[in-house]
Amino acid sequence: DLVGPQTDEAMAKNIQGDVALLDQQQNELRKLEREVNKLQERLPQGGSGRNLKDALSEQDKLHKEVQMLRKSLQSLQERRNRHNQQLHQLQSEKNSIVEQQLKIQGGVQQKKQLEDKLCELQAQEIVLLEEFDQITDQIQPVSDRLEAAIREKEQARLAHKQKLDTERNRVNKLVRQCDEVRKIQESITKYEKSGGADRLSATKQTITRLAGDKETVLENKKQLQDQINEVKTNLNNQQVRQRELDDNLKLRQKREEEKGVNEEILALSTKIGGMDLQKVIKEKEDLRKREETILRDKAHTEGRRRELQENIQLLRKELNKDNNKNADKAYSDAVIELKVKEVANEDLGHYYKALDWALSHFHNQRMKHINDIIGDLWTQIYCGNDIDTIKIKIDEDKSEGEKKRKVYNYRVVQVKNGQELDMRGRCSAGQKMLACLIIRMALAEIFSSKCGILTLDEPTTNLDKDNIDRLCATLANLISLRASQKSNFQLIVITHDEDFIDKLTKMHKVDYYFSVSRNDRGKSLVTTVRCD
């Protein structure tokens, strides 16, 4: 029961493109009819027997004539330019020849003058040579005498130089001796002028007088030394007496102290009664040691207390500074900020995981959709039986860690009987080109649905005839589908395959296309080619 509807559905899918194409052609036909009616209304009332086809043929004929006239005009202009260049070149050659002629004429006149001058100079040269020979004969004896005189002069100069050096050394020595004598004489004269002789005699008298005074002083010194020794002896005797008296006084004081101590001992003994003296002494020693320990701990504690007080004063000064007055509030604010950041960081971790899962899920869905489109296009275009379909496989980097960004490695595989193999190194150039076109068309369909331009550059490279035909059919279906969706769409094809352009224009009505070529001057020429 389902065979009939399925057959109808398949037939409807097959003719869907033709129906869309037919609708588009009908719309264009109606549009052209309206334009023809408008043009007929603009024509004069008398009218003309020509139809649109005749007008277009006449337009093409006129266009060709215009092109021929332009080419002939261009060739004439080029000829004129060449003639002008030749004319300028000939004019330059003429000017150079005239200039050379003038130079030659001037050179002929100058040559005559130079020849006359040459004759005069030759005559002068003969006269000068004769004079030179005479002078040479006269100079020879004089030259001999001059050389002998020069040799004598050199010998005399050397002898005079040696004698002069000897005399100069002797004079320098005498000058130095004179300088020394002069210095000695000046020092003697200076000494006499300053009264040195008088001072010398006065000094001698003073020395004699001081020698007498020295003897007197030595005698007085001896007497005084004897007196000093006597005084020292008496003084030593007095010190011994003083020491004895001091010792006697100390002895009396010690006896008084001993008497008082004995009395204290007697009183203590009476007070102690029957107690053991050794035990009391030992207890006293223990108490003394305990007292020392307590005093030492007290001193240590006092030092520690003063240190703590100083630290407290320093801390109070620190707390009274501007940056520490609100330390409690700043600490609480910092703790609150830290806690908020920790919670926010945890929330961001959850958000990151959720976003990563959503992106991964969206990516997988998109890739599945892309592979579905790639499979449909491959089935429609490829006419071989060695590859069932192709698709894009994803190898995801499984490295762990939230901060590790995921990396996707894409590769294209071919499928045959459910088995997948990498296309790299296993497919031909035509299969590689076809796979590249299909993948780009699928990507454009998914990610550029709002973009109305699809550009293909040399899409038929390395493709055989059957695959080119099926590619044409697929592109025509794509254009019809976009036209039925009433979306702005434009297909741009850049190719050197004219058969492909003919097939594509036959499958889908195209008014014209652009042909790019080079003219005689090597410049690009864009021509509009109309499709019949």
Side-chain angles (χ1 to χ4, degrees), residues 457-510:
D457 188 6
E458 300 292 349
T460 60
T461 303
N462 297 323
L463 295 182
D464 54 11
K465 183 177 181 301
D466 295 335
N467 286 323
I468 291 173
D469 294 339
R470 299 190 70 173
L471 177 63
C472 288
T474 303
L475 292 175
N477 292 333
L478 177 63
I479 295 171
S480 300
L481 179 61
R482 288 299 182 91
S484 63
Q485 294 175 355
K486 295 182 180 180
S487 60
N488 296 325
F489 179 75
Q490 184 175 5
L491 176 65
I492 300 173
V493 179
I494 304 169
T495 181
H496 290 85
D497 191 350
E498 296 182 357
D499 294 336
F500 175 69
I501 293 295
D502 293 337
K503 293 175 183 178
L504 190 61
T505 53
K506 289 177 181 179
M507 290 183 181
H508 185 78
K509 179 62 177 176
V510 178

Side-chain angles (χ1 to χ4, degrees), residues 7 21 33 36 79 113 124 131 148 164 207 218 226 234 285 298 316 406 413 429 471 474 493 498 525:
T7 304
L21 183 62
E33 288 177 354
V36 168
R79 288 179 61 188
Q113 295 175 1
Q124 292 178 4
E131 292 178 356
L164 184 63
I207 290 172
L218 289 174
D226 294 338
N234 294 330
E285 186 68 22
K298 179 182 178 182
R316 284 178 178 174
K406 287 188 177 181
V413 298
L471 177 63
T474 303
V493 179
E498 296 182 357
L525 183 63

Side-chain angles (χ1 to χ4, degrees), residues 435-446:
C436 180
L437 287 173
I438 289 174
I439 290 172
R440 292 183 181 183
M441 290 170 66
L443 293 175
E445 182 68 22
I446 294 299

Side-chain angles (χ1 to χ4, degrees), residues 280-290 292:
V280 171
I281 293 172
K282 184 178 181 181
E283 184 177 355
K284 178 182 177 183
E285 186 68 22
D286 293 338
L287 291 173
R288 187 182 62 78
K289 292 180 179 179
R290 185 177 177 185
E292 290 177 356

Side-chain angles (χ1 to χ4, degrees), residues 201-239:
S201 59
T203 302
K204 289 180 179 180
Q205 294 176 2
T206 304
I207 290 172
T208 304
R209 183 172 53 79
L210 290 174
D213 294 339
K214 179 181 179 182
E215 293 178 356
T216 305
V217 170
L218 289 174
E219 291 178 358
N220 294 331
K221 179 181 178 182
K222 186 176 181 181
Q223 293 176 2
L224 290 173
Q225 186 68 35
D226 294 338
Q227 293 177 2
I228 289 170
N229 292 331
E230 186 178 357
V231 171
K232 284 183 178 180
T233 302
N234 294 330
L235 183 61
N236 289 330
N237 293 332
Q238 289 179 2
Q239 288 178 353

Side-chain angles (χ1 to χ4, degrees), residues 26 29 32 62 94 127 228-229 241 252 264 338 374 440 445 475 518 520:
Q26 289 179 354
L29 182 60
L32 291 172
L62 293 173
K94 177 185 175 183
V127 174
I228 289 170
N229 292 331
R241 183 63 182 168
R252 289 182 179 181
E264 289 180 359
L338 177 62
I374 289 173
R440 292 183 181 183
E445 182 68 22
L475 292 175
R518 291 185 182 275
D520 298 336

Side-chain angles (χ1 to χ4, degrees), residues 154-169:
E154 186 67 22
Q155 293 175 359
R157 188 181 65 80
L158 294 174
H160 179 71
K161 183 179 181 182
Q162 292 177 357
K163 186 177 180 180
L164 184 63
D165 292 337
T166 304
E167 294 296 329
R168 186 182 290 112
N169 292 330

